[in-house]
Amino acid sequence: MRKIIVIDREKCDGCGLCAQACHEGAIQMVDGKADLVSESYCDGLGDCIGECPVGAISFEEREAAPYDEEAVKKHIGGCQGCPGTMARSIGNVETVEESLAVAPPSSRLANWPVQLKLVPENAPYLQGSHIVIAADCTAFAHPDFHRVFLGDGKVCLVGCPKLDDSEAYREKLARIIVANGPKAVTVVYMEVPCCGGMVRLVEAAIEAAMVDLDYTKVKLALQGEELARESVRYRFSR
């Protein structure tokens, strides 16, 4: 038994966004409709669900073939099928002289380590903090990451939802939230489909912890500009 996607072909309008979002190549367009081509290709993370504009994709818990990473690699030829890893030129070009002409900004990093796997769950700086959880690539894409997202003692934690263990991250974040009662959590992620996994694991961790806090998610474009920002307040009745 495991969690796996199910596609309602009656609702599917054939837009193909889910197939683009699935970095495992589990979804393909068949006769103008989305189709799960192999259970063993589906990792159950659901990158496709958030991209479907008509709600044709959902999760179900059932007997299914286990996720087979080796089969996926053969299927898509490594990561070549993943839109998020597609090689492209972005066009941001600045000479060294131009860069040095502007006074370098000071670092606003308030904690160390920053890698989520390495951060102690009982680190003193986590207590009652504002935690910024950033996908690895965001600080490289955003030209002013420190000024916009850090400062005021915010705690920065980073990780990759595609290359790291997302389930381990979810469980650790839930424990961190329960143990430290942060006042706010902000997640910063890229527009590429696989990065949506960071949002899902953070939200799942908050819901598992059941701790009241303010939550914000910020989506960045590959060139660094902010595409979307959404804030909500989590309040759990006890």
Side-chain angles (χ1 to χ4, degrees):
M1 298 288 293
R2 73 181 184 97
K3 187 167 66 173
I4 196 167
I5 65 161
V6 58
I7 301 172
D8 187 335
R9 287 177 63 86
E10 292 299 318
K11 289 184 179 180
C12 177
D13 63 2
C15 69
L17 292 176
C18 59
Q20 297 175 32
C22 180
H23 56 268
E24 314 292 349
I27 300 177
Q28 293 182 9
M29 304 306 295
V30 178
D31 297 327
K33 298 281 188 175
D35 192 41
L36 178 63
V37 296
S38 174
E39 294 178 347
S40 61
Y41 297 161
C42 179
D43 58 10
L45 292 179
D47 289 335
C48 52
I49 291 178
E51 299 299 322
C52 181
V54 295
I57 307 176
S58 58
F59 280 126
E60 64 178 359
E61 190 90 15
R62 61 175 173 84
E63 289 188 7
Y67 172 64
D68 189 336
E69 185 175 358
E70 292 304 314
V72 169
K73 288 179 180 179
K74 292 178 181 178
H75 173 57
I76 64 174
C79 289
Q80 295 174 11
C82 173
T85 57
M86 184 183 300
R88 68 198 81 181
S89 294
I90 295 178
N92 294 331
V93 178
E94 183 179 52
T95 67
V96 174
E97 289 76 13
E98 289 170 333
S99 178
L100 293 176
V102 180
S106 59
S107 172
R108 300 194 180 187
L109 189 64
N111 63 283
W112 190 265
V114 296
Q115 223 295 330
L116 182 53
K117 287 189 290 189
L118 302 178
V119 172
E121 295 175 21
N122 61 349
Y125 53 73
L126 290 168
Q127 195 65 227
S129 63
H130 182 156
I131 300 176
V132 177
I133 303 167
D136 286 347
C137 300
T138 54
F140 293 94
H142 196 289
D144 204 5
F145 185 91
H146 279 233
R147 186 185 64 81
V148 174
F149 297 109
L150 303 183
D152 298 323
K154 292 185 179 70
V155 173
C156 182
L157 307 180
V158 303
C160 177
K162 180 176 176 62
L163 301 179
D164 299 339
D165 187 338
S166 295
E167 181 61 19
Y169 277 176
R170 184 194 66 78
E171 293 175 355
K172 184 170 185 178
L173 277 173
R175 293 193 300 269
I176 286 174
I177 293 170
V178 169
N180 298 281
K183 63 184 179 182
V185 170
T186 296
V187 59
V188 188
Y189 66 108
M190 301 298 297
E191 64 176 323
V192 295
C194 51
C195 214
M198 183 63 82
V199 175
R200 284 187 292 278
L201 74 87
V202 171
E203 292 176 353
I206 295 172
E207 291 166 3
M210 298 186 67
V211 171
D212 294 351
L213 53 78
D214 293 335
Y215 169 69
T216 300
K217 59 180 179 180
V218 183
K219 181 193 286 188
L220 301 182
L222 297 183
Q223 290 180 301
E225 66 267 26
E226 189 173 307
L227 295 178
R229 179 183 289 256
E230 180 181 350
S231 297
V232 297
R233 289 186 173 181
Y234 276 90
R235 298 292 182 265
F236 298 90
S237 59
R238 296 177 177 82

